[in-house]
Amino acid sequence: MNCMCLQALILCTLSGFYLQNEVNAECPLGWVHYDISCFLFSTNALNWYNAHGSCRAHNARIAEVNSVDVMAYLRQMAKSYGYDYWLGGRDDVIEGFWQWSSTGENFTVSDWAPGEPDDAANSQDCLLIWKAANYQWDDQQCTINYRYICESEYPGEAVIG
C-alpha cells in the first residue's frame, strides 16, 4: 500500500470514520421516512391528475392513508409546511364512495373537516389536506393546482453493497 493511501486510512480511522462496503438503504434525497413509507412533500403545485403522474414518474403514488398514525403525521407535516396538499383519494367512480386511486380500496380511516365531503357544485372528486380547515380533509375539484404528497415503499433495512 502506498504511503498516501495508508495516511488516508489512518486519518479516517482516527477521525471516527471508517470505510465499509455496505450501507443501509434509505429514502431518496428530499423524501422523509415515516412508518413503512417514504414521503415527498412537493414544492410545486399541480392539478390532481398531473400530481398523480408526477408521483408515478418518481416510482411512487399520491399518498394514501392506511392508519390513524399516518393520517396524523401527514397532517402535522402539511401544517409545518403551511400548504394544502393533494392525497390519493377520489370519488369520481361512484359519487360519495371514496377510494384510494392506486388500489381502488375504500377508506378505512378519514379526517374530514366538518361538513365535508360536500361535493360543492357537483364537481369535487379529489382529496385534499385543507389548510383552511386546520389541515383536515376536503373534497376539491381535481383540476385546481395544489401541492401534493408522493409516497413510496420504505426500503427498510435492506443492505446494499
Side-chain angles (χ1 to χ4, degrees):
M1 180 180 293
N2 73 31
C3 185
M4 189 172 261
C5 288
L6 184 56
Q7 287 174 340
L9 181 59
I10 291 169
L11 179 61
C12 287
T13 303
L14 292 176
S15 63
F17 298 103
Y18 56 93
L19 303 174
Q20 63 181 33
N21 62 358
E22 296 180 344
V23 295
N24 286 331
E26 296 179 1
C27 294
L29 186 62
W31 294 60
V32 292
H33 170 234
Y34 183 79
D35 196 29
I36 60 170
S37 298
C38 295
F39 295 99
L40 174 68
F41 289 78
S42 75
T43 57
N44 62 316
L46 298 173
N47 68 47
W48 189 92
Y49 305 105
N50 290 336
H52 182 267
S54 178
C55 290
R56 290 195 48 121
H58 286 94
N59 293 317
R61 64 184 183 191
I62 299 181
E64 299 181 1
V65 177
N66 56 13
S67 73
V68 173
D69 291 341
V70 170
M71 180 175 61
Y73 173 76
L74 295 177
R75 183 178 183 188
Q76 184 57 41
M77 290 296 290
K79 191 174 189 176
S80 73
Y81 289 122
Y83 293 95
D84 301 306
Y85 286 93
W86 285 125
L87 292 176
R90 62 184 199 183
D91 77 336
D92 58 341
V93 176
I94 301 173
E95 183 58 43
F97 289 90
W98 285 87
Q99 299 177 321
W100 297 115
S101 62
S102 75
T103 63
E105 293 180 12
N106 294 333
F107 290 6
T108 56
V109 295
S110 65
D111 191 24
W112 294 109
E116 301 297 340
D118 63 358
D119 194 33
N122 295 320
S123 64
Q124 295 183 326
D125 294 317
C126 292
L127 181 61
L128 185 74
I129 295 179
W130 191 21
K131 179 180 176 179
N134 196 30
Y135 300 91
Q136 287 184 280
W137 294 1
D138 178 39
D139 56 336
Q140 190 51 260
Q141 293 179 22
C142 304
T143 55
I144 298 175
N145 291 347
Y146 290 106
R147 292 183 179 208
Y148 52 95
I149 305 169
C150 296
E151 176 184 13
S152 67
E153 186 178 336
Y154 178 67
E157 298 302 319
V159 176
I160 301 170

